[in-house]
């Protein structure tokens, strides 16, 4: 398949959607990003990547990081995590508090914020430094050593992080965090702030780098260097939770339209996995009411329609 031609056709198709939606406002450091951006990249299972549009512009990873933290915890700790977090779609916004009280401090899934805080807490206990562990992993898998935390975004999230703090304190009250709340929040904000930036001086492509970083999910658990991160079954499970929960209360619509495991972030990025074939990363900062990129979802929808590459 001529990936470049397919991606160009996808970009042309979604052109009218670019700039629709709203850039995330509740994290002030993200509010100034230009909504009129669109980039998409594809990385095949052999590590070859290509892209079109603004695929070479930096963007904030945000909740896409939650797929990586889940994978890193499952790799280290197996199934024990599921005692502390569920794996059902929440049907509620990603930062909702109500469900957590009904369900006694056990988050519905690892991709809503409450669940991601538990996963970060576990990763921190397992590694001693959750956010650096993730950054190192992303650098290794993407081959881009310049990926970095964005201090401004992390500071902005911290200053405006009352909802996440409320979720964390609430879970601490139920005994569902091992580390102090400030530690968990700090590492969670750092992991969300990771910026996909071009590699210097070689040039590079953030969309492609993030697609490459997620390659282990398309390779049934094998890392870029051929070593195994996850068993085949564990990789299936991460992909399954991405499909059912990765786009929050729009996961049903995402599965309906795109038919792939995907994980979105309020920076406007989405990573989607075609098991056995490739990973895609699309970025466009205009978000719908559920916090997913409008043009990004449309692009993945058109990609699977054009290629027939969905899991269904
Ligand atoms: N850092 C963001 C938050 O905690 C991530 C949310 C997202 O990308 N959906 O609110």
């Amino acid at each position: 398949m001529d990936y470049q031609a397919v991606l160009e056709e996808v970009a042309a198709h979604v052109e009218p959607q670019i700039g629709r939606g709203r850039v995330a406002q509740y994290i002030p450091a993200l509010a100034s990003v230009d909504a009129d951006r669109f980039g998409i990249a594809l990385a095949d299972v052999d590590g070859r990547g290509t892209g079109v549009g603004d695929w070479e512009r930096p963007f904030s990873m945000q909740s896409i990081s939650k797929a990586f933290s889940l994978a890193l915890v499952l790799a280290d700790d197996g199934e024990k995590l599921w005692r502390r977090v569920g794996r059902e779609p929440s049907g509620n916004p990603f930062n909702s508090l109500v469900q957590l009280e009904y369900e006694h401090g056990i988050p519905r899934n690892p991709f809503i914020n409450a669940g991601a805080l538990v996963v970060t807490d576990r990763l921190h206990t397992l590694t001693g430094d959750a956010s650096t562990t993730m950054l190192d992993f992303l650098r290794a898998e993407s081959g881009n050593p310049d990926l970095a935390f964005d201090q401004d975004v992390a500071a902005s999230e911290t200053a405006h992080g009352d909802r996440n703090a409320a979720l964390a304190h609430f879970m601490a009250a139920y005994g569902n965090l091992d580390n102090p709340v400030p530690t968990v929040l700090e590492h969670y904000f750092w992991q969300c702030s990771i910026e996909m930036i071009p590699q210097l001086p070689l040039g590079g492509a953030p969309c492609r780098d993030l697609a490459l970083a997620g390659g282990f999910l398309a390779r049934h658990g094998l890392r870029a260097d051929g070593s195994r991160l996850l068993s085949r079954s564990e990789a299936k499970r991460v992909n399954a939770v991405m499909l059912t929960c990765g786009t929050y209360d729009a996961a049903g619509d995402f599965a309906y339209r795109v038919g792939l495991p995907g994980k979105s972030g309020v920076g406007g990025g989405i990573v989607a996995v075609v098991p056995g074939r490739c990973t895609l990363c699309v970025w466009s900062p205009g978000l719908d009411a559920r916090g997913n990129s409008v043009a990004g979802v449309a692009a993945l929808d058109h990609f699977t329609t054009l290629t027939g590459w969905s899991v269904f």
Side-chain angles (χ1 to χ4, degrees):
M1 183 173 312
D2 182 347
Y3 298 139
Q4 188 75 25
V6 171
L7 296 183
E8 270 160 23
E9 192 170 338
V10 167
H13 182 84
V14 301
E15 172 78 47
Q17 312 255 19
I18 299 170
R20 291 213 180 142
R22 277 191 93 203
V23 174
Q25 304 292 313
Y26 73 100
I27 302 172
L30 296 180
S32 54
V33 175
D34 179 2
D36 290 327
R37 299 278 173 202
F38 173 85
I40 184 167
L42 178 153
D44 70 14
V45 284
D46 299 320
R48 284 183 298 258
T50 187
V52 302
D54 293 315
W55 66 304
E56 294 172 331
R57 288 199 163 256
F59 66 92
S60 186
M61 188 169 172
Q62 293 299 313
S63 285
I64 297 172
S65 63
K66 295 171 181 172
F68 292 91
S69 50
L70 175 63
L72 290 168
V73 167
L74 290 183
D76 209 334
D77 210 20
E79 296 283 299
K80 285 186 227 124
L81 179 72
W82 303 119
R83 288 186 215 139
R84 296 176 53 187
V85 57
R87 46 177 190 262
E88 292 294 341
S90 70
N92 279 306
F94 62 80
N95 55 4
S96 169
L97 285 147
V98 283
Q99 202 165 41
L100 200 55
E101 175 149 33
Y102 287 127
E103 298 182 356
H104 311 292
I106 305 290
R108 190 58 86 85
N109 69 63
F111 293 152
I112 52 174
N113 287 9
L117 288 162
V118 170
V119 177
T120 298
D121 177 60
R122 188 66 194 141
L123 186 60
H124 194 67
T125 299
L126 290 168
T127 64
D129 189 337
S131 51
T132 305
T133 299
M134 184 178 311
L135 183 60
D136 289 346
F137 180 79
L138 292 168
R139 285 176 171 170
E141 296 306 293
S142 66
N144 182 349
D146 293 334
L147 300 187
F149 300 119
D150 182 326
Q151 317 261 351
D152 290 343
V153 172
S156 189
E157 293 211 44
T158 306
H160 298 268
D162 293 326
R163 283 191 86 92
N164 286 319
L167 291 166
H169 281 291
F170 201 75
M171 290 189 293
Y174 279 101
N176 200 10
L177 291 183
D178 293 333
N179 296 283
V181 166
T183 307
V184 177
L185 287 172
E186 183 190 330
H187 283 272
Y188 172 76
F189 291 140
W190 281 116
Q191 79 174 53
C192 288
S193 85
I194 292 175
E195 191 181 28
M196 303 311 296
I197 44 178
Q199 190 175 355
L200 298 170
L202 300 173
C207 280
R208 184 202 55 205
D209 291 346
L210 196 45
L212 285 170
F216 68 97
L217 291 169
R219 286 188 295 268
H220 306 294
L222 291 183
R223 295 185 61 165
D225 66 3
S227 64
R228 188 164 282 288
L229 177 73
L230 300 174
S231 68
R232 205 180 167 94
S233 168
E234 286 166 339
K236 174 198 74 181
R237 289 177 175 165
V238 175
N239 279 321
V241 181
M242 286 171 70
L243 178 79
T244 53
C245 310
T247 44
Y248 316 113
D249 44 339
D253 190 56
F254 187 83
Y256 178 83
R257 292 176 63 191
V258 178
L260 291 175
K263 185 73 210 79
S264 61
V266 292
I270 308 174
V271 166
V273 183
V274 189
R277 289 191 192 272
C278 66
T279 39
L280 294 143
C281 176
V282 61
W283 170 64
S284 190
L287 307 178
D288 62 23
R290 274 98 170 245
N292 300 312
S293 168
V294 174
V297 176
L300 294 169
D301 177 352
H302 196 60
F303 176 87
T304 52
T305 304
L306 273 180
T307 58
W309 286 6
S310 90
V311 296
F312 300 108

